[in-house]
Amino acid sequence: MAVCTGCSLLCDDIEITEDEEKHVHTACRKGAGLFLEVNDKKHKVDGNEASLNEAIETAAEVLAGADNPLIYGLDNTTCEAQQQGLELAREVGAVLDDTSSFCHGPTLQLVLQGEVKSCTLDEVRDEADVLVYWGCDPVNSHPRHMSRFSYFPRGEKRQHGYEEDRDAICFDVRPSDTAKICKDNYLQVPPGEDMELMSALREAASGKLPKTGFDKKKVMKIAQKMKKAEYPVVFGGLGLLHSVEIDELKSFLNDMSLRFMPMVGHYNMRGLNQLLLEEVGHINRLSFKDGVESGAEYSVVNQLREERPDAVLVVGADPVVSLPRGGAKHLHDVPMVTLDPMDTPTCRASKVAIHTGRAGIGTAGTVVRMDGEEVEMEAIEDGWTSDEEVLKMIREAI
Amino acid sequence: MKTFISAPKLEATLVTRRDVFQAGAREENGHYSEEYRRLTAVVELSERDMKNSKIKDEDTVEISSPAGKVVVEAHRSEKVPKGMAVMPNGPWANVLISANGPRPEYKRVEVKIKPTDREVLALEELLEL
């Protein structure tokens, strides 16, 4: 069985068979794509094919010669590579940031610092009776979340699964695919109105008729379900995070005795944020230029907007695609070194592109699932070099 | 005398979303594939908004926000409330997202949408690769 790194669920039941062509069983569409992907593994320097050694040497020159290097990403890679990335950041005095800086960072921090109660996905499967999908759409983002862990499966204390033992609730700005599954327990929230919903749910849970523009009867019904639940869990997406004050969310979850899990997308973002918190006391937005500092000025978005970096190392991320276009433009103006299994637009915009193995396909290593569980990955294909090895070689060359 | 506007510009709130088929196309066939573009360079609108602004299913439309302008294909969707425009997250939507705030606002951008004769750009052109 292979482990899929299509998202942070890390499904470990993937079967691959091969006759005239390759077949991927059990995985979702996204996961299947990952295993079917074809890659020529050619490294490039200045757009021309290069040997791994030439690429490493050029990468080392670029990073060693920079006054303000930025190391970005490290979310889609192994824990071992993340450790190498952190050491490299220390050695070259880089700014280090990742995707959590503009997505799930604030909510993941609440979980990592124990400020809200969380749980594992196995506990969700075995015990959860009320599931609240808030500002997220797992049918598309984590396609097997509802079938493997949250709504549909039988669990130790939930032998009757979704038919009798579980209620799925969805709060979203639009009737998403997940909302459709939640049927009458879907409540449409206009963009930016999640704070009002939280206060209406609080009032309703305490038995009062809420003062709100939302459907009062529905809010009362849902709030009672949440209150009476034995093991309620909120899965929070960017839609929630972008619409609430983080302290308000924290007190709402704690006052309502709700467990919380951020719907982290990148397969090892939690691993990086945990590592940085343990080693330097902050989850992201770090500068190692003069000791260790952390702050908003070191966020990738601020750094690129202010055109601070004079060289960039990208590992396991695709900022040319995922950042706002205006924010990504500086990446085209500085020498960039990118490590990625695919020929991404970030690779094409890079001075040096090194094609490394994907964890669970071309590379072995440890990865941390969205709920904090460590998963050991094995390589199922030969001929790849790992991010860890390449980062080590770059460090040695510097 | 008020001039009759035959195709009024639609004003909507843009929300980006994930799409499992789009992500699958990217992983299997790559960013530069026609399938990825077809599933990403898209805006979903409500039937009512499309009718009011004379946009037909699969028309190309120009979407503008304070951050930029982009041409994509319009799709009618019953999963989109009136006044909202939904795009799969990706490079076409990201043209419209501002990088000027404390964090990129992927979930709430005020946009204007109008039919256009211009074509949807290929990814390489869009990103100037």
Side-chain angles (χ1 to χ4, degrees), chain B residues 59-123:
Chain B
D59 272 359
T60 49
V61 291
E62 181 190 273
I63 313 185
S64 52
S65 79
K69 279 181 189 175
V70 72
V71 175
V72 296
E73 200 172 277
H75 287 182
R76 184 172 54 239
S77 171
E78 56 186 32
K79 294 178 201 156
V80 178
K82 188 180 177 299
M84 193 174 284
V86 177
M87 287 180 79
N89 66 347
W92 284 270
N94 283 342
V95 170
L96 303 164
I97 313 288
S98 166
N100 290 333
R103 69 173 174 216
E105 195 53 75
Y106 295 103
K107 296 291 177 183
R108 197 179 177 186
V109 183
E110 297 311 317
V111 295
K112 289 178 180 163
I113 304 173
K114 63 175 186 185
T116 180
D117 292 333
R118 288 167 56 207
E119 287 188 355
V120 177
L121 291 181
L123 187 65

Side-chain angles (χ1 to χ4, degrees), chain A residues 335-357:
Chain A
M336 188 158 54
V337 176
T338 299
L339 277 53
D340 202 286
M342 292 176 78
D343 179 25
T344 62
T346 302
C347 285
R348 289 204 184 173
S350 295
K351 182 175 177 64
V352 182
I354 303 177
H355 291 298
T356 48

Side-chain angles (χ1 to χ4, degrees), chain A residues 234-255:
Chain A
V234 174
F235 301 100
L238 281 193
L240 170 65
L241 178 58
H242 278 214
S243 182
V244 294
E245 301 288 338
I246 204 75
D247 286 339
E248 291 288 327
L249 175 65
K250 183 175 106 178
S251 24
F252 172 80
L253 294 167
N254 289 331
D255 295 349

Side-chain angles (χ1 to χ4, degrees), chain A residues 29-30 33-34 36-37 102 139-141 143 173-175 177 180 188 191-192 238-239 241-242 285 301 305 318 320-325 327 329 332 342-345 348-349 358, chain B residues 13 15 17-21 23-28 30-32 35 78-79 81 84 86 90-91 94-95 97-101 103-108 123-124 126-129:
Chain A
R29 170 71 187 98
K30 186 178 175 188
L34 221 79
L36 294 170
E37 164 198 313
F102 59 92
V139 170
N140 283 289
S141 62
V173 293
R174 63 195 171 86
D177 294 317
K180 277 194 167 178
Q188 192 162 309
L238 281 193
L241 178 58
H242 278 214
R285 300 178 172 182
V301 176
R305 183 173 58 223
D318 192 6
V320 167
V321 163
S322 60
L323 287 174
R325 187 72 200 119
K329 283 210 163 135
H332 297 264
M342 292 176 78
D343 179 25
T344 62
R348 289 204 184 173
R358 195 186 291 276
Chain B
T13 304
V15 174
R17 71 171 184 97
R18 305 241 169 228
D19 184 277
V20 64
F21 297 104
R26 182 190 62 219
E27 299 302 339
E28 185 173 343
H31 291 82
Y32 316 101
E35 191 188 0
E78 56 186 32
K79 294 178 201 156
M84 193 174 284
V86 177
N94 283 342
V95 170
I97 313 288
S98 166
N100 290 333
R103 69 173 174 216
E105 195 53 75
Y106 295 103
K107 296 291 177 183
R108 197 179 177 186
L123 187 65
E124 293 91 330
L126 183 82
L127 298 179
E128 298 163 55
L129 293 172

Side-chain angles (χ1 to χ4, degrees), chain A residues 204-308:
Chain A
S206 66
K208 293 179 204 155
L209 187 69
K211 294 186 202 80
T212 179
F214 288 104
D215 176 346
K216 292 184 180 59
K217 241 172 122 180
K218 201 165 198 174
V219 170
M220 292 288 282
K221 190 184 98 181
I222 290 175
Q224 287 307 314
K225 277 187 201 288
M226 289 162 88
K227 195 186 167 189
K228 285 181 185 160
E230 286 175 16
Y231 204 104
V233 185
V234 174
F235 301 100
L238 281 193
L240 170 65
L241 178 58
H242 278 214
S243 182
V244 294
E245 301 288 338
I246 204 75
D247 286 339
E248 291 288 327
L249 175 65
K250 183 175 106 178
S251 24
F252 172 80
L253 294 167
N254 289 331
D255 295 349
M256 297 275 287
S257 301
L258 300 164
R259 287 168 196 271
F260 182 74
M261 201 181 294
M263 293 294 274
V264 170
H266 294 81
Y267 72 79
N268 199 18
M269 195 180 95
R270 180 159 175 161
L272 179 70
N273 295 145
Q274 271 182 204
L275 171 74
L276 297 178
L277 187 63
E278 280 161 19
E279 293 232 0
V280 286
H282 304 276
I283 65 163
N284 55 25
R285 300 178 172 182
L286 297 164
S287 168
F288 293 95
K289 198 173 171 75
D290 198 10
V292 185
E293 282 181 76
S294 172
E297 66 269 38
Y298 303 119
S299 80
V300 63
V301 176
N302 275 350
Q303 287 284 311
L304 294 178
R305 183 173 58 223
E306 289 167 20
E307 302 183 356
R308 292 272 174 83

